[in-house]
Amino acid sequence: MTTSVELTRFRVLPEKAGELLAARPAMIADFEADREGFLGARLVRLANDEWLDIVEWRSSEDYAASRVKGANLPGIKAFFDAIDSLVSAEEGVVEP
């Protein structure tokens, strides 16, 4: 089985950046408790109020199942609510 990587780029209004960062620990805890195959995540602040979330999944199927669940828990919802707009979302595979 190969590791799948979710690459989600989004915009956050400057006045909501603190809210996004404050919500992150609860979002990660909710993913760990509720998302089968979640391996970890890294959040990268980019220029122009953009961010990149790099999330690793055990498989593409685990990533797809997570997408279906959406913002089903409070920590995930709070994180998503701080996002102004989606720029892009891609999936890739980690090569050995």
Side-chain angles (χ1 to χ4, degrees), residues 25-77:
M27 187 212 82
I28 295 295
D30 282 353
F31 266 51
E32 290 172 340
D34 185 60
R35 307 295 166 109
E36 187 72 27
F38 173 73
L39 300 176
R42 297 177 70 181
L43 185 61
V44 180
R45 187 188 304 236
L46 304 169
N48 302 318
D49 304 320
E50 289 188 8
W51 298 72
L52 176 66
D53 206 354
I54 304 167
V55 184
E56 291 192 39
W57 298 95
R58 182 181 55 209
S59 69
S60 184
E61 293 78 16
D62 290 330
Y63 170 49
S66 174
R67 290 185 55 173
V68 170
K69 288 185 174 188
N72 65 325
L73 295 174
I76 299 168
K77 183 177 182 330

Side-chain angles (χ1 to χ4, degrees), residues 83-94:
I83 295 171
D84 182 54
S85 61
L86 179 66
V87 174
S88 65
E90 298 180 76
E91 180 181 7
V93 175
V94 175

